[in-house]
């Protein structure tokens, strides 16, 4: 099949806000500061940035400790250089494959802006502060038959603190290798995994080492917000946010109302007693509740002045985090996925009050990756990707109908045509004879056609059941393209794709990446 694109609004589960952001920006323009599709947005966002050189020096020093020397860091040290930022939770083995798609989109956009006279470097924000271990302690691989296999860390534990600091005491290497089956580059891929996750690794260190390895050619800088130097840089911002909690939460509630009035829903629910802040204390990340003019964490109470004194121990929630990120970085654009872009509609009010600027919010590239085998099956059964984005039984039904013996399928078609013609003639006669009987016939007509089509579907399913090879093809296609009713990129890690296509896959993906079309791309590798 030729390379194709699918509008994001045709993909199941796409939110109305995200769809309008991509294709009807005028409907959501009041919730964002810039239109990502307008080339003039980037110079405007760049002109809004007033980034102190003292902060730049501190940032470069911190990033040098985290990344070592690089051409990107040397460029970032120059006055006027901006950042194209993306990020992701530090999930096991880099989490879903869209993590890499995000990073490559940021690389592509930074390169493009630099060519247009806006010097920029790509920066990856390691979301190490999150404390929901269940979201990051597992990953999905597949083998040569696209059979999904879940890799979980049953022995990973946390006491409610940042997951990035959790040590991975023992990784199930035999299970990992087995889950990749006979994929051609499985051994080499597992070897690289082992190098990224030596004994004593944490979620953050392994995640970072793996991405640095497979994306080492592209100049990405990695930023861990738990680094003490970064936390020190963030203190003024977090202290200011703590002082202004009532104002900020009031603005967010007003924005939620505006979104609802416009027909959208809030991506991030804001509790009535939310302060937008967490407290990092004794290895835990505890929410700070705003109650009666005070901050409450467990049995401890604080006033704003108290928090200003310990602001290096504060941690932002999902709505405040991107604003802190863009206080720390001279961000001209943020590359995000559907959910992130949706909640940026809420966060805009925080940008306005705390920074006075907001970057261009740029949608990450989105891919479904096929191989020659999948392409051949799709073409053989005359399917499209949209045909596959459905319930498993519905997809199997579509494939099965293509497998029914020609003479049997023709008999069903002829019978349906004959039945419809005969009933139409009878309907006309009944209309002249007794209109009440005509109405009864219409109901019977629908029932008879339903039963005939139901019988045809049963014949198709039986054909598929008898054809072992056909069943195997159907399962392969369903598991590869829409595993467990998820887009491939949101379900599988990048690891099985590396094991399937080789460790130079990121180079291929960067070549396929584009900045002018927000559609979901279907590509055969």
């Amino acid at each position: 099949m030729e390379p194709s694109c699918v509008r994001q609004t045709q993909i199941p589960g796409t939110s109305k806000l995200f769809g309008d952001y991509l294709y009807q920006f005028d409907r959501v323009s009041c919730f964002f500061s810039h239109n990502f599709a307008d080339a003039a947005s980037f110079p405007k966002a760049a002109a809004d940035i007033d980034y102190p050189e003292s902060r730049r020096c501190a940032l470069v020093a911190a990033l040098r400790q985290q990344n070592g020397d690089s051409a990107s860091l040397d460029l970032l040290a120059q006055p006027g250089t901006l950042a194209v930022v993306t990020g992701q939770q530090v999930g096991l083995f880099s989490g879903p494959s869209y993590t890499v798609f995000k990073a490559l989109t940021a690389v592509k956009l930074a390169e493009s802006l630099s060519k247009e006279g806006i010097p920029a470097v790509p920066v990856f924000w390691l979301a190490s502060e999150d404390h929901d271990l269940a979201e990051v302690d597992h990953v999905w691989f597949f083998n040569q038959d696209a059979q999904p296999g879940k890799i979980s860390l049953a022995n990973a534990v946390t006491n409610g603190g940042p997951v990035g600091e959790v040590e991975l005491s023992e990784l199930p290497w035999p299970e990992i290798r087995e889950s990749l089956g006979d994929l051609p580059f499985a051994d080499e891929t597992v070897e690289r995994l082992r190098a990224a996750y030596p004994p004593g690794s944490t979620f953050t260190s392994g995640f970072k080492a793996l991405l640095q390895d497979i994306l080492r050619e592209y100049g990405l800088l990695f930023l861990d917000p738990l680094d003490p130097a970064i936390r020190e840089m963030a203190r003024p911002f977090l202290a200011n946010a703590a002082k202004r909690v009532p104002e900020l939460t009031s603005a967010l509630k007003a924005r939620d109302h505006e979104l609802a009035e416009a027909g959208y829903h809030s991506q991030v629910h804001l509790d009535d007693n939310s302060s937008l802040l967490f407290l990092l204390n004794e290895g835990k990340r505890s929410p700070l509740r705003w109650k009666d003019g005070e901050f409450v964490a467990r049995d401890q109470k604080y006033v704003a002045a108290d928090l200003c004194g310990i602001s290096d121990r504060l941690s932002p929630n999902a709505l405040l985090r991107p604003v802190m990120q863009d206080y720390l970085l001279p961000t001209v654009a943020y590359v995000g996925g559907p959910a992130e872009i949706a909640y940026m509609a809420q966060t805009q009010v925080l940008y306005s009050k705390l920074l006075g600027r907001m970057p261009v919010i740029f949608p990450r590239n989105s891919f479904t990756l096929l191989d020659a085998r999948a392409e051949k099956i799709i073409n053989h059964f005359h399917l499209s990707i949209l045909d596959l984005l459905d319930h498993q039984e519905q997809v199997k039904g579509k494939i099965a109908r293509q497998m029914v013996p020609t003479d049997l399928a023709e008999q069903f078609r002829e019978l349906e045509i004959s039945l419809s013609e005969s009933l139409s003639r009878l309907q006309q006669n009944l209309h002249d004879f007794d209109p009440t009987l005509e109405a009864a016939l219409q109901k019977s007509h629908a029932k008879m056609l339903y039963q005939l089509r139901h019988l045809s579907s049963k014949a198709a399913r039986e054909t598929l059941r008898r054809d072992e090879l056909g069943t195997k093809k159907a399962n392969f296609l369903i598991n590869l393209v829409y595993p467990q009713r998820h887009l491939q990129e949101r379900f599988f890690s990048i690891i099985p794709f590396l094991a399937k296509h080789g460790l130079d896959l990121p180079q291929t993906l960067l070549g396929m990446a584009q900045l002018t079309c927000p559609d979901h791309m279907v590509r055969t590798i």
Side-chain angles (χ1 to χ4, degrees):
M1 61 186 294
E2 294 295 321
S4 62
C5 292
V6 175
R7 283 177 70 88
Q8 299 279 0
T9 48
Q10 294 178 288
I11 295 173
T14 298
S15 72
K16 183 175 184 291
L17 196 157
F18 181 59
D20 285 349
Y21 185 82
L22 297 183
Y23 304 114
Q24 302 284 341
F25 185 79
D26 58 305
R27 296 179 180 178
V28 298
S29 59
C30 59
F31 303 127
F32 297 89
S33 299
H34 305 283
N35 181 355
F36 78 95
D38 183 356
S41 294
F42 297 95
K44 290 177 183 177
D48 289 340
I49 298 173
D50 182 14
Y51 192 73
E53 288 307 307
S54 59
R55 194 179 306 161
R56 184 182 297 274
C57 290
L59 174 68
V60 169
L63 291 181
R64 199 176 302 279
Q65 288 294 318
Q66 294 189 34
N67 295 268
D69 294 328
S70 71
S72 289
L73 196 57
D74 291 341
L75 180 58
L76 184 60
Q78 299 301 312
T81 299
L82 305 179
V84 174
V85 184
T86 192
Q88 184 63 25
Q89 288 175 291
V90 288
L92 182 64
F93 300 147
S94 79
S97 55
Y98 67 66
T99 298
V100 171
F101 304 161
K102 275 184 171 182
L104 292 174
T105 308
V107 168
K108 190 94 168 184
L109 183 55
E111 289 178 349
S112 177
L113 291 177
S114 294
K115 290 177 182 177
E116 295 296 322
I118 303 174
V121 297
V123 179
F124 195 102
W125 180 279
L126 301 163
S128 54
E129 291 182 280
D130 294 348
H131 57 271
D132 192 342
L133 183 63
E135 290 188 0
V136 298
D137 68 352
H138 63 278
V139 70
W140 287 89
F141 291 173
F142 61 78
N143 62 12
Q144 70 280 359
D145 294 319
Q147 183 63 39
K150 186 177 183 180
I151 305 297
S152 298
L153 298 180
N155 59 342
V157 295
T158 179
N159 61 356
V163 297
E165 298 177 334
V166 175
E167 185 172 322
L168 309 177
S169 56
E170 186 177 347
L171 291 169
W173 293 113
E175 181 183 349
I176 289 167
R177 177 59 189 87
E178 182 181 359
S179 68
L180 296 173
D182 296 328
L183 293 175
F185 302 97
D187 288 335
E188 185 180 356
T189 301
V190 172
E191 183 180 340
R192 300 286 277 271
L193 273 182
R194 281 183 174 274
Y197 286 82
S201 295
T202 63
F203 274 98
T204 295
S205 69
F207 183 101
K208 175 185 171 185
L210 177 60
L211 288 187
Q212 282 181 319
D213 180 25
I214 64 177
L215 301 174
R216 61 184 178 277
E217 302 174 22
Y218 307 118
L220 269 172
L221 296 171
F222 293 86
L223 188 156
D224 180 3
L226 286 176
D227 178 80
I230 297 295
R231 300 210 62 74
E232 184 64 27
M233 287 180 61
R235 287 191 66 166
F237 173 85
L238 291 168
N240 183 38
K243 294 175 185 176
R244 300 172 64 180
V245 164
E247 173 192 357
L248 299 178
T249 54
S250 176
L252 282 170
K253 290 173 182 176
R255 172 51 55 89
D256 287 353
H257 178 74
E258 292 168 359
L259 286 167
E261 287 289 307
Y264 306 114
H265 70 276
S266 300
Q267 183 67 31
V268 179
H269 175 71
L270 188 69
D271 292 332
D272 290 338
N273 60 357
S274 173
S275 73
L276 312 179
L277 296 166
F278 290 81
L279 182 66
L280 299 173
N281 190 33
E282 297 180 353
K284 294 181 173 61
R285 185 173 186 251
S286 305
L288 283 165
R289 306 296 183 189
W290 178 253
K291 185 177 180 181
D292 299 327
E294 294 181 312
F295 297 89
V296 181
R298 299 182 183 274
D299 298 328
Q300 187 74 29
K301 294 183 179 180
Y302 305 88
V303 295
D306 297 329
L307 296 186
C308 290
I310 57 170
S311 54
D312 60 323
R313 289 163 48 196
L314 297 180
S315 175
N317 80 341
L319 292 172
L320 186 61
R321 192 275 308 158
V323 191
M324 185 184 84
Q325 162 196 286
D326 299 330
Y327 165 86
L328 294 168
L329 292 159
T331 307
V332 64
Y334 180 79
V335 174
E340 290 171 294
I341 288 175
Y343 74 64
M344 286 291 187
Q346 295 171 269
T347 297
Q348 187 211 28
V349 297
L350 301 183
Y351 273 105
S352 177
K353 291 185 174 296
L354 294 172
L355 283 191
R357 60 178 171 88
M358 184 182 191
V360 179
I361 309 302
F362 197 85
R364 65 166 173 83
N365 277 194
S366 178
F367 290 102
T368 286
L369 303 179
L370 306 178
D371 62 3
R373 179 183 176 188
E375 182 181 43
K376 184 177 180 181
I377 297 171
I378 288 172
N379 290 337
H380 178 75
F381 291 116
H382 308 290
L383 299 169
S384 70
I385 287 297
L386 289 176
D387 289 326
L388 302 174
L389 304 184
D390 203 342
H391 293 272
Q392 181 174 344
E393 291 307 312
Q394 292 293 330
V395 176
K396 286 187 174 181
K398 295 169 187 175
I399 293 174
R401 284 191 288 274
Q402 300 288 331
M403 299 176 63
V404 175
T406 304
D407 58 340
L408 184 58
E410 186 61 30
Q411 281 184 292
F412 274 113
R413 280 193 294 271
E414 290 177 354
L415 180 56
E416 182 171 339
I417 293 171
S418 175
L419 178 63
S420 294
E421 291 176 348
S422 297
L423 290 175
S424 294
R425 288 194 299 270
L426 179 58
Q427 181 178 340
Q428 181 59 47
N429 291 334
L430 285 176
H431 175 77
D432 298 335
F433 179 71
D434 185 342
T436 60
L437 293 178
E438 179 191 9
L441 177 63
Q442 287 177 335
K443 292 182 180 179
S444 298
H445 185 178
K447 291 179 180 179
M448 283 186 276
L449 284 179
Y450 171 81
Q451 291 297 334
L452 180 59
R453 290 167 182 168
H454 182 62
L455 182 60
S456 177
S457 296
K458 289 181 69 174
R461 288 196 297 271
E462 178 61 19
T463 302
L464 181 60
R465 188 190 68 79
R466 294 183 183 186
D467 189 325
E468 184 177 341
L469 180 59
T471 299
K472 189 174 182 180
K473 288 179 180 179
N475 288 334
F476 172 81
L477 204 55
I478 291 166
N479 286 332
L480 179 65
V481 174
Y482 203 49
Q484 298 186 23
R485 299 183 65 203
H486 294 279
L487 275 185
Q488 178 194 89
E489 64 177 13
R490 300 177 191 169
F491 188 79
F492 289 125
S493 162
I494 198 66
I495 299 305
F497 294 102
L498 296 174
K500 185 182 186 73
H501 301 291
L503 291 162
D504 60 350
L505 176 63
Q507 183 177 351
T508 301
L509 292 171
L510 185 62
M512 296 189 305
Q514 51 75 42
L515 302 176
T516 58
C517 177
D519 292 347
H520 180 79
M521 293 178 280
V522 182
R523 299 292 185 266
T524 300
I525 298 177

